[in-house]
Amino acid sequence: MLIFPSLRNPLSTLSAGLLGLGLAVVAAFLLGVTVPGKRADAWAFATAAACLPDEPSTECRKTVPATVEKTETVSEGRTRHHWLTLAERGGSSHRVDMSRSSSVFGAVSPGDRVAMTSWRGKVRYVDFRNMRQDAADRPKEAYRLPLGIGLALLPLSGMLLWFAQALFRRASDAPAFSLWQISVAVASGICLALIAFFAPLATDTVSTALLLSAVAAFPVALGGLWLIRQQRRRPTGRRRRTGRPSPSGA
């Protein structure tokens, strides 16, 4: 079976450990700082009262009539921006990035009258007839992406730290990691990261995303560990000899 003796190099152990710690620090910042901040913004927006006449849209919601000047869709790589240009009665113009091409964006034409709602100086959603469409930067869902990234970094960090401690504890005459062990560990880490990343996008709350990640990740992690242990229990005749009798007696 293929082995990787170069992984015993102290530099490999140090690199894996430092990279794992770096990913853990980034995950901790996203989950401990960024996500709570985004959720606080979402709560502040959801509970904001309507602005008084002539009051700026700082911590209150201000809804004013506007006229559609232009709609345009711009592609930037794989990302598509749906820009809606609105003009207030006083002459102020706002170019709003809408979240999708359907709903209000797909229904309005230049000259149509809409109602736009601002909060903290930015347009957050637009109403047209009986439809409402959120702008792309509405704070309600802003926590999802950093939460997904933070959760996805955790299994990748754990995988690298596991490699580092396993390499550090191995004796100098012990077999290196086999191709099977590395493949299973990497595949499990990537699968766990994908599950964790998409969990916040498929759920409505942080607690539900965490629960889904844990429930879905458990069988993946358990299966990966089982496969690695099963491979270690196989007869070692094809592995590199270490001078000690193999379990099979060969």
Side-chain angles (χ1 to χ4, degrees):
M1 180 175 291
L2 294 175
I3 57 176
F4 296 83
S6 62
L7 288 177
R8 288 201 201 94
N9 190 309
L11 184 60
S12 300
T13 305
L14 181 62
S15 299
L18 289 178
L19 183 56
L21 287 175
L23 294 181
V25 170
V26 174
F29 180 82
L30 289 172
L31 298 176
V33 178
T34 305
V35 172
K38 296 292 186 182
R39 295 186 68 198
D41 288 343
W43 176 254
F45 175 75
T47 57
C51 294
L52 298 174
D54 300 327
E55 183 180 3
S57 59
T58 51
E59 295 304 318
C60 60
R61 296 195 214 185
K62 187 170 186 176
T63 302
V64 297
T67 303
V68 177
E69 288 189 335
K70 183 171 57 174
T71 62
E72 57 182 331
T73 299
V74 179
S75 297
E76 295 180 1
R78 295 184 178 181
T79 304
R80 294 174 67 87
H81 296 278
H82 308 287
W83 294 102
L84 184 61
T85 304
L86 304 173
E88 289 187 57
R89 183 178 304 172
S92 300
S93 182
H94 303 267
R95 191 166 182 254
V96 187
D97 188 5
M98 307 304 288
S99 56
R100 56 190 183 278
S101 60
S102 59
S103 188
V104 171
F105 183 88
V108 297
S109 302
D112 285 337
R113 300 284 292 176
V114 299
M116 66 178 191
T117 300
S118 301
W119 180 71
R120 292 184 179 176
K122 294 183 179 180
V123 178
R124 304 299 179 169
Y125 57 84
V126 179
D127 291 289
F128 177 66
R129 295 176 182 169
N130 60 342
M131 296 180 291
R132 172 173 293 179
Q133 183 176 358
D134 295 337
D137 63 350
R138 188 182 182 190
K140 179 182 178 181
E141 312 293 338
Y143 75 91
R144 293 180 184 272
L145 184 58
L147 177 60
I149 295 175
L151 292 177
L153 291 179
L154 291 178
L156 298 179
S157 171
M159 178 186 68
L160 289 168
L161 292 176
W162 176 79
F163 269 131
Q165 68 86 25
L167 290 168
F168 181 78
R169 294 177 60 183
R170 280 176 177 269
S172 59
D173 61 346
F177 284 114
S178 68
L179 176 61
W180 173 255
Q181 291 171 327
I182 293 179
S183 299
V184 171
V186 172
S188 299
I190 293 175
C191 187
L192 290 172
L194 289 174
I195 292 172
F197 177 79
F198 286 106
L201 306 180
T203 55
D204 295 327
T205 63
V206 173
S207 58
T208 308
L210 294 176
L211 180 61
L212 177 61
S213 298
V215 171
F218 181 75
V220 175
L222 192 63
L225 291 174
W226 182 82
L227 289 172
I228 290 177
R229 289 189 177 183
Q230 285 295 107
Q231 192 274 338
R232 286 179 177 176
R233 293 174 181 174
R234 292 178 181 177
T236 57
R238 290 183 297 174
R239 298 180 186 175
R240 190 175 61 178
R241 297 185 181 276
T242 62
R244 297 190 296 269
S246 67
S248 61

